[in-house]
């Protein structure tokens, strides 16, 4: 992604929107970070220090966008993150790079920084999100470890389902007595239906929300 000339959040949103439309490229990933303790140093230094500790082998550079000083471009070697700190308590981190690598770095940052945590999405929010459009996928986690004498040997199941029958499958699973109290949604995937007079007016978006505060999106409008 060519990002050197981006100066404002509007330009960043336009760039991410363009990338979201290419199905052969990575989708936009957004991680929501809960900043529980305000940093004592500048936000720029706080980000640089935290990311340097989380990824010590990569060269780290951090700087605000010229026309949007609360949005920071963080480069970690060949990786790029965009950190929107407009909300003092919840920071949004956007990236087009490999999800597993970015999540590993952020996980290390969270683990080493007492005042930083993932913003977990509760079960109620995931269920509400599933009603906001066409429900086309979900993740379910089932475990008996809290009720077992030996938690490491307890029954557990993790699954992901995708497709137009996702809602029916979810309802049928949740009706099962075994899943009633010991399972929870770990992810929902929703596709916004096309709207307006004709398909070209739709700005269709497909987004996956995980319980660990991550949103993955494809479509036509990053801001939407």
């Amino acid at each position: 992604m060519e990002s050197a000339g981006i100066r404002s959040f509007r330009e960043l949103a336009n760039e991410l929107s363009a990338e979201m439309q290419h199905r052969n490229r990575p989708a936009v990933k957004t991680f929501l970070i809960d900043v529980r303790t305000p940093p004592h140093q500048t936000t720029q230094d706080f980000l640089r220090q935290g990311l340097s500790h989380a990824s010590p082998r990569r060269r780290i550079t951090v700087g605000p966008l010229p026309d949007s000083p609360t949005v920071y471009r963080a480069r970690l070697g060949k990786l790029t993150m965009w950190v929107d700190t407009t909300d003092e308590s919840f920071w949004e981190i956007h990236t087009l790079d490999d999800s597993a690598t970015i999540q590993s770095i952020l996980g290390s940052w969270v683990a080493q920084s007492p005042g930083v945590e993932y913003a977990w999405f509760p079960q109620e929010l995931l269920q509400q999100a599933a009603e906001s459009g066409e429900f086309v996928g979900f993740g379910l986690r089932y475990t008996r470890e809290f009720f077992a004498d030996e938690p490491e040997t307890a029954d557990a199941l993790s699954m992901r389902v995708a497709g137009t029958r996702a809602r029916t499958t979810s309802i049928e699973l949740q009706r099962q007595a075994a899943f009633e109290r010991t399972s929870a949604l770990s992810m929902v995937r929703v596709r916004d239906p096309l709207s307006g007079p004709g398909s070209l007016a739709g700005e269709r978006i497909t987004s996956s929300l995980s319980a660990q505060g991550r949103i993955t999106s494809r479509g036509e409008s990053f801001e939407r």
Side-chain angles (χ1 to χ4, degrees):
M1 172 180 170
E2 179 58 47
S3 59
I6 293 176
R7 298 181 57 85
S8 67
F9 177 80
R10 172 67 65 182
E11 292 178 2
L12 171 61
N14 290 341
E15 185 75 15
L16 293 178
S17 293
E19 294 295 321
M20 287 172 64
Q21 298 177 40
H22 297 284
R23 291 189 173 274
N24 61 335
R25 298 180 185 177
V28 174
K29 278 78 67 175
T30 296
F31 298 84
L32 194 62
I33 298 294
D34 182 358
V35 183
R36 300 181 178 183
T37 304
H40 296 296
Q41 67 267 60
T42 66
T43 301
Q44 182 172 338
D45 289 342
F46 179 74
L47 284 169
R48 184 187 298 111
Q49 179 179 337
L51 294 174
S52 294
H53 289 163
S55 185
R57 295 186 178 182
R58 291 183 172 88
R59 181 175 180 270
I60 311 295
T61 60
V62 179
L65 299 187
D67 298 335
S68 296
T70 60
V71 180
Y72 293 80
R73 179 193 293 112
R75 287 179 171 157
L76 300 83
K78 296 182 179 180
L79 305 175
T80 301
M81 301 181 191
W82 306 89
V83 187
D84 188 344
T85 68
T86 304
D87 188 309
E88 294 183 357
S89 299
F90 294 97
W91 292 359
E92 300 172 12
I93 299 180
H94 312 293
T95 185
L96 291 163
D97 290 317
D98 179 69
S99 179
T101 302
I102 295 294
Q103 190 150 2
S104 176
I105 293 172
L106 294 180
S108 296
W109 182 32
V110 166
Q112 298 177 43
S113 303
V116 177
E117 182 59 271
Y118 282 118
W120 295 89
F121 291 161
Q123 182 81 185
E124 293 79 9
L125 176 60
L126 294 180
Q127 290 174 338
Q128 183 178 358
E131 300 294 331
S132 66
E134 183 184 1
F135 185 44
V136 292
F138 69 92
L140 185 74
R141 183 175 183 271
Y142 160 79
T143 179
R144 294 280 302 174
E145 62 181 338
F146 299 111
F147 305 97
D149 294 332
E150 298 182 15
E152 64 275 8
T153 62
D155 293 338
L157 174 67
S158 179
M159 68 172 69
R160 287 205 169 192
V161 176
T164 56
R165 294 184 58 82
R167 186 180 299 280
T168 301
T169 305
S170 174
I171 291 173
E172 290 299 324
L173 284 173
Q174 291 177 339
R175 285 176 178 171
Q176 302 299 315
F179 292 149
E180 187 175 358
R181 296 182 58 191
T182 55
S183 66
L185 289 173
S186 59
M187 180 274 291
V188 296
R189 180 174 297 143
V190 179
R191 183 168 56 200
D192 286 355
L194 294 174
S195 60
S199 61
L200 294 180
E203 289 190 350
R204 193 164 192 161
I205 304 293
T206 299
S207 294
S208 299
L209 286 75
S210 77
Q212 201 174 13
R214 187 183 77 184
I215 304 171
T216 304
S217 299
R218 286 193 182 279
E220 300 175 12
S221 172
F222 169 76
E223 287 185 283
R224 180 177 175 187

